[in-house]
Amino acid sequence: MGYGRSSRIRTCDPLLPKQVRYRAALYSDVGAGIASALANRKKLYKGEYSSRHAIRGAAPAMKLGLKTAMIPVDGAAQPAARCLEDGGLVAFPTETVYGLGADATNSRAVARLYEAKGRPSFNPLIAHVSDLQAARQIARFDDRSLRLAEAFWPGPLTLVLPKATGCPVSDLATAGLETIAVRIPAHPAARDILRAFGKPVVAPSANLSGHVSPTTAAHVLGDLDGRIDLIVDGGPVSVGVESTIVGCFETPLLLRPGGLPREEIEQVLGEKLARIPDDGGKADAQPLAPGMLASHYAPRTTVRLNAATLERGEALLAFGPHLIPGSDQAIVMNLSEAGVLVEAAANLFGYLRDLDAKGPRAIAVMPIPHDGLGEAINDRLQRAAIPRS
Ligand code: TXA
Ligand code: MG
């Protein structure tokens, strides 16, 4: 059997550190979850999971029948690493958003990941590694990319680089591209897991494809309960928007604005980052960072940008100390009363989810400045505002 290494089917049946057992009362599902993860494995080996269905289309709402365990970060590295080793899917915190990790070298695990997310297969994944040496085993760096790596890693920057010769990452994870997206996350729990696992971990944001990215473990559970094996709960993340993606091509390209402001990158490069030609909001456009589909970061509710007044039935996503007319009777969530962009980024996805859940007629969003993290915030909001059929 191509996938099985039966002598190792103890993953997700981890010899949980005492600490975790002790705290299991808080996470009462741990014991049962771990046990049922074993059953998950058995189904997997019997080939009861088909990846074809979900890879083809949008995420089906149904669960995949897995029991999803949730454990706290303390002592999570070893169980998480064993689960990954066994082909499991592990959600873990990074400083940007929660990621859904799979062994990047295991095509079967990567296929399960696409299935769990309901993600289109043409959308390649970011390989996460623990240090620069590990990054150099999967990607080729030149002077410029090394400078960026040294300045910003670990941190919220992803570099798209030529694949290294002999790169062990599955072609399914890179969607057959000659390039690979690489990142060293800064979150201590993410780094501990990566170090314990010792191989690259592909990790898209841990949400159903098309949904808003998760910034808490509860968001992950809401989307992926019954679809993944393990969630490592590290509390709310600090940055709140995904990493900035830079394509290290002849001209360095900003493929996705994100948690590291463009200005800081340009300062280290000593040159401007070109921005990819925008897709003009067309849902079927083919962007250069293939995952940047126009309508991507999407709540269910209609989103209206740059609101100057609030209309009847709308909820307000506010920014800054001065609310717009019409707000007094409405549901209001303020991204940052003080008008601080870092705070707004950290609150963005959680507030979008919360407002969405309250079921207003629409979510009106106040204007947000474009500098610093404002570029990423406005990018995500524009995508959330694109009408979907
Ligand atoms: O902050 C983040 O980057 C989070 C955390 C978990 O690390 N991850 C994340 O992954 O946002 P994901 O899969 O949601 O977004 C990855 C983006 C997609 O837009 C994808 O198309 C792009 O990276 N990408 C991956 N490989 C690429 C490549 N070789 N060339 C261009 N774009 C690539
Ligand atoms: Mg995503």
Side-chain angles (χ1 to χ4, degrees):
M1 173 168 52
Y3 175 68
R5 275 173 295 189
S6 52
S7 62
R8 304 187 86 145
I9 308 181
R10 46 191 160 76
T11 312
C12 291
D13 171 28
L15 306 164
L16 281 175
K18 278 199 196 96
Q19 214 176 356
V20 175
R21 288 219 190 99
Y22 178 69
R23 293 177 63 172
L26 268 180
Y27 296 78
S28 57
D29 250 347
V30 171
I34 295 300
S36 68
L38 255 188
N40 295 346
R41 294 279 78 68
K42 283 186 191 140
K43 283 195 206 168
L44 175 66
Y45 292 115
K46 279 196 273 166
E48 282 176 21
Y49 292 138
S50 153
S51 304
R52 278 167 298 150
H53 170 68
I55 289 177
R56 244 189 279 125
M62 68 198 189
K63 296 179 177 190
L64 296 179
L66 305 186
K67 183 87 182 178
T68 302
M70 172 111 85
I71 59 174
V73 271
D74 293 341
Q78 291 301 333
R82 283 195 293 268
C83 192
L84 290 167
E85 183 59 44
D86 202 33
L89 302 180
V90 179
F92 59 91
T94 82
E95 71 279 22
T96 56
V97 298
Y98 274 73
L100 178 59
D103 177 351
T105 66
N106 177 342
S107 296
R108 181 70 186 258
V110 176
R112 286 190 70 210
L113 191 155
Y114 283 118
E115 177 179 53
K117 273 196 64 114
R119 164 172 267 205
S121 59
F122 51 78
N123 197 347
L125 304 168
I126 298 171
H128 297 66
V129 290
S130 59
D131 55 37
L132 190 56
Q133 200 191 344
R136 297 187 88 152
Q137 280 165 15
I138 60 175
R140 284 209 310 275
F141 288 74
D142 60 11
D143 288 351
R144 207 174 42 184
S145 41
L146 266 185
R147 246 186 298 141
L148 290 178
E150 272 156 16
F152 298 115
W153 280 351
L157 172 70
T158 294
L159 297 176
V160 172
L161 299 162
K163 261 190 195 171
T165 321
C167 169
V169 172
S170 146
D171 280 340
L172 186 58
T174 54
L177 296 171
E178 290 303 308
T179 53
I180 184 162
V182 189
R183 169 161 120 81
I184 302 179
H187 195 293
R191 300 200 74 196
D192 286 351
I193 293 169
L194 291 168
R195 261 195 297 266
F197 183 53
K199 285 188 278 183
V201 171
V202 280
S205 47
N207 51 280
L208 283 174
S209 188
H211 281 195
V212 173
S213 291
T215 55
T216 66
H219 295 162
V220 179
L221 191 68
D223 264 23
L224 298 176
D225 188 17
R227 304 176 70 93
I228 66 174
D229 298 289
L230 190 62
I231 300 174
V232 176
D233 182 356
V237 302
S238 57
V239 176
V241 288
E242 300 87 343
S243 60
T244 302
I245 306 183
V246 171
C248 298
F249 308 121
E250 240 172 69
T251 309
L253 289 183
L254 180 63
L255 296 175
R256 177 176 75 180
L260 181 66
R262 144 210 301 270
E263 295 87 340
E264 292 185 34
I265 301 168
E266 290 174 341
Q267 202 166 21
V268 168
L269 284 176
E271 62 183 308
K272 291 270 177 218
L273 284 170
R275 182 74 207 266
I276 52 167
D278 213 346
D279 52 29
K282 285 199 278 340
D284 59 350
Q286 284 293 314
L288 210 55
M292 297 301 283
L293 294 175
S295 75
H296 191 70
Y297 299 87
R300 281 178 296 269
T301 313
T302 305
V303 174
R304 184 169 71 85
L305 300 180
N306 296 317
T309 58
L310 199 64
E311 290 165 15
R312 250 179 112 80
E314 286 184 330
L316 180 66
L317 189 61
F319 180 81
H322 307 294
L323 300 189
I324 56 177
S327 319
D328 350 350
Q329 306 296 322
I331 300 168
V332 177
M333 294 192 82
N334 199 330
L335 288 170
S336 169
E337 270 179 46
V340 177
L341 288 166
V342 174
E343 188 187 6
N347 288 330
L348 178 68
F349 289 138
Y351 285 11
L352 276 175
R353 277 175 187 266
D354 289 349
L355 291 178
D356 201 20
K358 293 183 200 304
R361 190 169 65 71
I363 300 170
V365 187
M366 284 174 61
I368 291 168
H370 280 269
D371 57 311
L373 286 184
E375 186 173 13
I377 296 171
N378 281 299
D379 174 87
R380 304 304 187 272
L381 285 169
Q382 273 153 21
R383 289 169 202 284
I386 291 165
R388 286 171 297 282
S389 47

